[in-house]
Amino acid sequence: MISKKMQDALNEQVNKEFYSAYMYLAMSAYCNTLGLPGFANWMRMQYEEEIMHVTKMYDYIMDQGGAIELKTIEKPDQEYGTPLAIFERTLEHEQLVTNLIHRLMDLAVEERDYATQTFLQWYVTEQVEEEANVNDILSPLRMVGDDKGGLMMIDQQLAARMTPTPLPAK
Ligand code: OFO
């Protein structure tokens, strides 16, 4: 069982994770318009990853006997600038999400809600990975600058990203 305050905070995070999914899907569409199918694939896989984050949190609220409240999802931008700007925006967004997860953990600690602390630990670790993955792409992007050949090589690498492992069936 979770408190009403924790339930509301988790529902708010479900909305933020949905927004992340929405934003990455918009980025994927935008990358396609730039003629960068590998970048588009990476963003599409990131969209799927975010849906997994949503579902995991949704399941936790349900498992704890909480009420789900699905809120309006903010409209994402349609244009994101250069490939470098897209990933700079991605890093900025993931840093924001990391802060939101940390705030949720602060609340779980404050409430001595041990189950939610354990649950959120997965997201704390996941955010370290999310930021590291983006930084790993930002470094070569900064190196190649406007060089088309370099961008094409990065595009080929990003085309290899695969669908995340599905959650176990409920
Ligand atoms: Fe759900 O981690 Fe990205 O936003």
Side-chain angles (χ1 to χ4, degrees), residues 17 20 24 46 50 53 93-94 97 127 130:
E17 299 288 342
S20 299
Y24 290 126
Q46 188 62 28
E50 298 299 346
H53 296 173
H93 181 74
E94 287 307 323
V97 173
Q127 283 308 120
E130 294 275 86

Side-chain angles (χ1 to χ4, degrees), residues 41-164:
N41 172 66
W42 194 94
M43 289 299 170
R44 172 78 176 242
M45 295 303 111
Q46 188 62 28
Y47 155 79
E48 289 193 14
E49 181 103 15
E50 298 299 346
I51 291 295
M52 191 261 279
H53 296 173
V54 167
T55 311
K56 203 175 169 69
M57 199 163 281
Y58 170 99
D59 285 346
Y60 179 74
I61 299 169
M62 297 281 273
D63 286 349
Q64 285 284 30
I68 297 290
E69 188 189 355
L70 297 176
K71 300 163 193 270
T72 307
I73 305 166
E74 191 187 327
K75 181 184 188 299
D77 290 341
Q78 276 185 275
E79 296 193 1
Y80 295 91
T82 63
L84 177 59
I86 297 168
F87 272 91
E88 278 170 341
R89 175 86 175 268
T90 298
L91 181 62
E92 206 177 287
H93 181 74
E94 287 307 323
Q95 287 168 338
L96 175 86
V97 173
T98 299
N99 279 328
L100 293 173
I101 296 293
H102 290 179
R103 273 199 257 152
L104 279 175
M105 183 63 103
D106 288 342
L107 177 62
V109 169
E110 199 182 293
E111 293 199 346
R112 304 181 70 181
D113 177 345
Y114 303 116
T116 304
Q117 287 174 41
T118 303
F119 170 72
L120 288 173
Q121 193 56 54
W122 183 89
Y123 286 83
V124 171
T125 308
E126 178 75 359
Q127 283 308 120
V128 173
E129 199 184 299
E130 294 275 86
E131 289 188 29
N133 289 343
V134 179
N135 275 316
D136 283 350
I137 298 165
L138 270 172
S139 305
L141 269 178
R142 287 190 181 114
M143 260 190 295
V144 302
D146 289 336
D147 178 63
K148 291 237 179 328
L151 276 178
M152 285 301 119
M153 267 178 60
I154 296 173
D155 192 62
Q156 277 169 14
Q157 285 162 8
L158 298 186
R161 184 175 183 187
M162 303 208 297
T163 313

